Amino acid sequence: MIERLGPAPAHVAGRSFGGSIALGLVARRPELFRGITVREPPLVAIVTEDPDALRQLRPTRASMDAVLAHLGKGEDRQGARQFVEEVAMGPGTWDRLPAAVRETFLHNAPTWLDEQPDPGWAEIDTDALARFAAPVLLSGGTQSPVWSAAILDRLAAALPRARRQTVEGAGRIPHVTHPQRYAAALTRFVRTS
């Protein structure tokens, strides 16, 4: 898409699985990027040697298995709600989300089911990332899962020009909960990189 729409290099922003996809492309085709902004990619394989991160991830993995079971049976509403409350954002969040956001989760639920069988969905080539010379903004929130910070720490250690940003009071969807602060931080980064 970057080559087709051009011009490359481009600044790319990705959140969650989209951040994982963007980082994977950075590892394979760094020349396409002028910079990258990544928000909490679920690259859990890069923290498998961290016992604290693994302990924190254990309940999330159990919830992910339960979500996949719901989605596999066509129970998209139950699966989406459990994903939001136990994997992505925290208890009670589903009922506080705007109806349009809940509908987006419902609409995208089958896609998440399709992504999970990919054996490499949680992995990244950190050696290739270490060769990426463009600026990187790694974004997290104070209300995000603790294991997400461990992933961002590992990515920051691998990427030579990485900067960290923490959005106070935000969790995994700052574009919904704190849109002005999140957009301002991304805009500032793109303009200065």
Side-chain angles (χ1 to χ4, degrees):
M1 190 165 80
I2 294 171
E3 290 175 324
R4 171 105 15 165
L5 297 177
H11 188 97
V12 173
R15 188 189 70 76
S16 192
F17 200 79
S20 299
I21 292 168
L23 285 168
L25 187 56
V26 161
R28 293 185 308 279
R29 299 282 312 275
E31 74 279 3
L32 295 176
F33 295 87
R34 183 172 62 92
I36 184 170
T37 302
V38 178
R39 175 77 185 182
E40 298 183 353
L43 296 166
V44 296
I46 67 172
V47 294
T48 56
E49 295 180 14
D50 180 340
D52 289 335
L54 288 177
R55 183 178 37 76
Q56 295 161 6
L57 270 167
R58 198 169 295 124
T60 302
R61 286 183 185 243
S63 293
M64 287 172 66
D65 289 343
V67 168
L68 290 171
H70 281 302
L71 298 177
K73 293 185 276 185
E75 299 168 349
D76 292 353
R77 183 166 296 280
Q78 296 94 318
R81 181 182 194 112
Q82 188 168 10
F83 175 80
V84 166
E85 298 206 347
E86 296 180 18
V87 176
M89 295 177 223
T93 305
W94 180 260
D95 292 328
R96 292 191 308 267
L97 290 174
V101 174
R102 287 195 304 265
E103 287 305 312
T104 298
F105 274 105
L106 285 171
H107 177 76
N108 291 336
T111 302
W112 196 69
L113 182 63
D114 292 340
E115 293 168 350
Q116 294 307 300
D118 177 354
W121 74 267
E123 300 173 358
I124 192 76
D125 182 348
T126 54
D127 291 334
L129 292 180
R131 295 186 293 273
F132 185 59
V136 178
L137 178 64
L138 299 170
S139 178
T142 58
Q143 298 302 310
S144 297
V146 178
W147 53 264
S148 186
I151 292 168
L152 292 174
D153 289 343
R154 180 72 177 94
L155 290 170
L159 290 154
R161 293 189 59 199
R163 287 190 274 173
R164 288 286 301 274
Q165 175 222 22
T166 301
V167 179
E168 284 295 320
R172 296 203 35 99
I173 56 168
H175 56 288
V176 174
T177 61
H178 298 77
Q180 290 82 14
R181 283 194 303 186
Y182 185 60
L186 267 60
T187 302
R188 189 169 43 254
F189 177 74
V190 169
R191 286 184 178 153
T192 60
S193 55

